[in-house]
Amino acid sequence: MRQGMRPDTAAPVRGIAALCCWALLLVVLLPVLILQSLDARFGAALAVQCVVVLHTGGALARVLTDVRARVIAFGFWLFAYVWLGLAPLAMLATDAYPRGFMVDAHTAFLTTAVVETGLLAYSAGSALASWRSARSSVVLEPLLARRLSPVRVLLLCGLALLLAVVLIPGQGGLSAFFLSRQAANEAAAAAEPAGSADRAMAAWALSVPAFWALVALVHVPRFSEGDRTLRGLRWLLLPLLIAVNVVVNNPISQPRFWAGTVLLALVFSASWLQGPRAFRFGAAAVAAVVLVVFPYSDYFRYDKREEVHVVSLAEQFTSNGDYDAFQQIETGVDYVRTHGFTPTAALGPPLFFVPRAVWSGKPDDAGILLARHAGYTFTNLSAPLWVETYMWAGFPSVIAVFGLVGAVGRRIDLLRHRLRRRRGTLAALLVPAFGFYQLVLLRGSLMAIVGPLALLVCIPLLITRKAGRRILPPAAQETASAPASPADRVTSPQPTGGART
């Protein structure tokens, strides 16, 4: 009998020892490490926040020890644990925040309740989707089973190179892509609003197609015969696309979350990282990097680069604006208390493409609204999904949205697991990219990221085509994946269609 397998079902089981070790680290050791370095002030909000840390840390520990590679769940719980678990723990314990806007104890308590409500709804939706995993999905199943089309991939590669030749000079040339984010923001602020918007659209029109062209070219299905032309074009285009991505998707001029998405999507879409064991090691490494390295990854953000000073996690959480998610939710709760709910704001993200000249009452970006409410002069701020949904209709909208997000996310993870042995599927490419871009989606605001998100999802849909055969249901898959007897291997050869296996 194999280690880690039940004798009756021969199904893989979660390692209890590994789960306990991760839970001890995430739920006990790290929170205690943060609190012991602070002069903690206990109150109702801090008590609820301890529940949030317990919830997010336990959920992340379960994902890191799961017998399946759950990329979507990992992205969600990593963000929830760091940005809405540990960071608010330090803020509430010291009443110190990275930005100037402060709220009273009641608003802080209500904010922790909003966060935990969203987490509970997500967990409930995920559990429901797991319980119904034996049923097939008429939408997601055929969608994620789509396979890369070599001709469409080559067309995308040509388009990405053409866009680079046409648009890079208009962005200021190659040197403009290696300037700091501060210089890029100052140039955008100096431009007229219409010119600034056009510049942002051109930047995304460069970054996203170049990224997908590289990923698709690496993963386009290869055949043992008859693809000499394809192989020749692959080797010709690959160095060109790598060079274009180094220019347009580098971490110097691009937001760190997007540059990280590009890198991690390339790594986690590799076939050797789609298995559960390799994924667990990779996810653990990503979690460590986010906790230890991310606070110092803004080195290239400013023109004047100062010496890096290593400080404690608690000090980073309470002084670094990158961890303002919880404080922005507090600001949104205070905004609702002053101005009331705005249900019509929910129409803004899905109708982002409608110009304001046509829609005079188009909702404003939630991050800008919160910045104005707090009195900040800098308005390019986040608006986490928790506060955006709360501003629509309060707790009911939070529960509805996060329940749906949890159910769909769990369903996508399950389908990717079933398709993990197939090369060049949409699940192998899009799920890792969306899983890590999810950190941008959760941090918000929706109006700011829904355009790039549409590009991120639509391009892989356009370069894939409908799969030739239907996915097996879970029970049939387990039977089909069981080792065949020697006689079966001889008498029942499986067709490969010329593809390498």
Side-chain angles (χ1 to χ4, degrees), residues 249-414:
N249 286 319
N250 69 77
I252 299 176
S253 59
Q254 286 289 342
R256 288 167 294 165
F257 282 100
W258 170 248
T261 296
V262 171
L263 177 61
L264 293 175
L266 282 167
V267 172
F268 279 81
S269 62
S271 57
W272 55 274
L273 259 177
Q274 293 183 19
R277 177 186 288 270
F279 171 78
R280 288 195 292 267
F281 282 108
V286 171
V289 168
V290 168
L291 279 170
V292 178
V293 179
F294 177 81
Y296 307 99
S297 61
D298 61 349
Y299 179 76
F300 298 103
R301 177 180 288 184
Y302 306 103
D303 290 333
K304 186 178 180 181
R305 291 161 190 166
E306 301 178 354
E307 183 181 352
V308 176
H309 298 284
V310 179
V311 298
S312 66
L313 273 177
E315 186 174 344
Q316 283 285 0
F317 291 149
T318 56
S319 61
N320 192 332
D322 291 328
Y323 298 102
D324 67 347
F326 181 78
Q327 188 176 17
Q328 287 293 91
I329 301 176
E330 286 185 325
T331 306
V333 172
D334 189 76
Y335 176 91
V336 168
R337 185 171 62 180
T338 304
H339 302 283
F341 298 115
T342 53
T344 56
L347 299 175
L351 300 176
F352 73 97
F353 53 87
V354 179
R356 294 190 181 275
V358 177
W359 184 7
S360 59
K362 186 176 180 179
D364 289 326
D365 183 291
I368 296 176
L369 278 179
L370 298 182
R372 291 172 180 168
H373 178 73
Y376 301 143
T377 56
F378 181 68
T379 58
N380 185 21
L381 296 176
S382 64
L385 188 59
W386 282 260
V387 73
E388 288 216 49
T389 53
Y390 180 77
M391 290 168 68
W392 296 344
F395 284 99
S397 56
V398 173
I399 294 171
V401 170
F402 279 91
L404 180 62
V405 170
V408 174
R410 186 59 174 267
R411 195 65 167 161
I412 291 174
D413 276 337
L414 289 170

Side-chain angles (χ1 to χ4, degrees), residues 118-148:
L119 297 176
L120 289 172
Y122 183 93
S123 298
S126 177
L128 180 62
S130 178
W131 178 62
R132 295 167 58 90
S133 61
R135 300 188 181 186
S136 61
S137 172
V138 295
V139 176
L140 289 176
E141 184 175 304
L143 189 68
L144 293 177
R146 292 172 64 91
R147 297 176 66 87
L148 284 171

Side-chain angles (χ1 to χ4, degrees), residues 147 220-227 423 494-501:
R147 297 176 66 87
V220 66
R222 293 174 292 175
F223 298 90
S224 57
E225 298 177 357
D227 72 335
R423 292 180 58 87
Q494 298 296 319
T496 63
R500 291 179 180 174
T501 58

Side-chain angles (χ1 to χ4, degrees), residues 9 92 98 156 276 313 346 399 408 421 475 484:
T9 62
L92 291 169
L156 176 63
L313 273 177
I399 294 171
V408 174
R421 301 189 191 281

